[in-house]
Amino acid sequence: MAGRLAWLTRLGGSAVVGAGVAGYFIGTKEPEPGSSNVVDVVVVGGGIVGTSIALGVARANKTVVLLERHQIGSGATGLSAGTLYSMGPPPSSVDSLHPEHLEAHILHRSTEIVRGFAKACSYVQSGCLTLACTAEEMESLTVEHARCANEGYSNVGLLDRRSVELIEPGVRSGQVYGALHTPDSGHCEPAELAIAIARSAADHGAVIHDDAEVTMVVPVDGVAGAIANDGARFTVHTASGNEYRARQVAVASGAWPEVLRVGLGLDVPVVPVKGTIWMTAKLPRGILRHVIYTEESHMGFADPSMASVNLQADLQVPPRCTHDAAGDQLVRHAYGRQRTDGRVVFGGDRVRATAEDFEVDASGIDRHRNDVAVFLAPAIMSSAVEGSWAGLMPFALDGKLLVGEMGPLGLPGLWLATGFGPNGIMHGPCVAEMVASAITGEAALPPSFQELYDPCRASGGVTKIEPGIDDTKNPALAMSADKA
């Protein structure tokens, strides 16, 4: 709990509201310690993925209990910037679940789901500009635009410098070559989104317990694959001494997968990567009209030479991090958007971290301010930093989602949904919807999705170890243990 309280204390007063973490939905407290009646599903984790799974299960008239160790939306979800990227709906001429179009489908569907909670989470369809600050970056955007056009994503536009400056007052004059414009993109307040989804789940009958830390999940009667007379397959234990018997369990605990190691002996190859967000004072509304991204980092993350440096298997640094294991910056990554209260939030760094490292690097914020000052107007960059915070994102070591049922490891009924990295808000709502449908038997996960993100895949998937193994013997947590 100390690490979680640390960032709340650092923010202080009004800055907590600025971080989007005020006004938590408070679920019911756990009952007195004891065993519960069997429920259809227990969901572990109260972020965007866990709450969305709970909602989907509850809508299917199944009994569901969600257990969150802190407060709803207080983890990576509430500490994110809340940006949503969408190229628009996949064209009718293509199979949206084909591997080539699957991510575009997920991005669009997630945005649709968030729009359904627009009022509760302050959703704004602002559009997004991915900026090119060099001729090489503009060439890269031109290629991407041609690809989008060829595939039928007609909403995606390519803008020259003049067009960018006409629609976006926040860009520094003369400093960009152009931008890729995705008008279906937008942003929301992510903690408020998780809270709204949790409330909807409760309205549909879900039981939400916060301050309910899960310590382990074990097979019923200690036998993997066994089914008790009441249909229970698993017992979920919490720190308060409660036991929840469930027919199925969905674990969406983000960067903290250890609950699966202690009782089930599963090594989940997910590590915590720290992202830092900083925020300006209130500025005039409309000073930054769009979500802003930079093409420089997109090119860097796609560069095979950088990926080979970044993925340092022995040091557990996954792909798409901005820094190597030594803390040296590999690529600049920046994004920003203006909140409805006028504050502008920025982020970008992705640094391999330990499991409870919420410390903000002040020098990193100074460097990041200098990075974005190159292309953003002085009216924005002259504002003081009013608040800053850090969150831990769950990065899979191979860079791919880990989503699906653990049947191949002898644990049918156990579902995993993690590895979302920086895309929890962008991918989580849609993926959770698919997982809930699979859990309730309404629809299986699409074959293309299973092929890409099977958590039991031979390379990069979950493996069996000894139950209760010490953290220092778990490769995915080795770096954390060394630094602790």
Side-chain angles (χ1 to χ4, degrees), residues 433-455:
E433 182 179 64
M434 290 193 291
V435 170
S437 293
I439 289 174
T440 60
E442 293 181 353
L445 290 173
S448 58
F449 186 94
Q450 294 185 62
E451 182 178 351
L452 287 170
Y453 305 127
D454 180 6

Side-chain angles (χ1 to χ4, degrees), residues 18-98:
V21 296
Y24 290 130
F25 166 77
I26 304 299
T28 58
K29 296 300 180 183
E30 285 192 275
E32 291 299 313
S35 295
S36 69
N37 294 326
V38 66
V39 297
D40 291 318
V41 182
V42 167
V43 178
V44 181
I48 186 65
V49 179
T51 55
S52 297
I53 292 174
L55 174 57
V57 172
R59 280 176 169 168
N61 296 316
K62 303 292 184 180
T63 54
V64 55
V65 173
L66 183 148
L67 302 170
E68 161 56 40
R69 68 172 184 161
H70 292 304
Q71 289 81 40
I72 296 299
S74 64
T77 292
L79 296 170
S80 69
T83 60
L84 291 145
Y85 188 88
S86 173
M87 297 188 300
S92 58
S93 59
V94 304
D95 176 6
S96 63
L97 297 180
H98 186 278

Side-chain angles (χ1 to χ4, degrees), residues 146-213:
R147 183 190 69 82
C148 292
N150 289 338
E151 293 180 358
Y153 293 94
S154 57
N155 288 0
V156 179
L158 185 66
L159 308 181
D160 60 17
R161 173 183 293 168
R162 176 173 173 77
S163 298
V164 172
E165 293 178 355
L166 282 174
I167 68 170
E168 181 48 73
V171 171
R172 183 183 289 265
S173 179
Q175 294 302 306
V176 300
Y177 281 68
L180 194 72
H181 182 214
T182 51
D184 289 271
S185 301
H187 57 82
C188 70
E189 299 308 325
E192 294 172 5
L193 173 62
I195 292 164
I197 294 172
R199 283 179 173 148
S200 182
D203 289 343
H204 283 82
V207 175
I208 312 291
H209 291 317
D210 49 16
D211 288 327
E213 181 177 5

Side-chain angles (χ1 to χ4, degrees), residues 60 74 102 119 145 148 152 162 196 208 216 318 323 355 419 422 431 467 483:
S74 64
L102 182 60
K119 185 175 181 180
H145 177 255
C148 292
R162 176 173 173 77
I208 312 291
M216 64 178 173
H323 292 63
V431 172
K483 287 189 174 183

Side-chain angles (χ1 to χ4, degrees), residues 362-437:
S363 63
I365 291 177
D366 290 340
R367 169 184 48 76
H368 202 259
R369 277 174 59 85
N370 291 333
D371 288 346
V372 298
V374 172
F375 56 84
L376 287 187
I380 297 174
M381 301 315 302
S382 60
S383 173
V385 175
E386 185 177 277
S388 60
W389 58 94
L392 297 178
M393 301 171 282
F395 272 61
L397 287 176
D398 66 357
K400 299 178 181 179
L401 297 177
L402 290 155
V403 177
E405 192 174 15
M406 308 300 292
L409 292 182
L411 294 165
L414 178 66
W415 297 79
L416 183 64
T418 189
F420 289 85
N423 298 320
I425 301 297
M426 295 187 191
H427 291 168
C430 174
V431 172
E433 182 179 64
M434 290 193 291
V435 170
S437 293

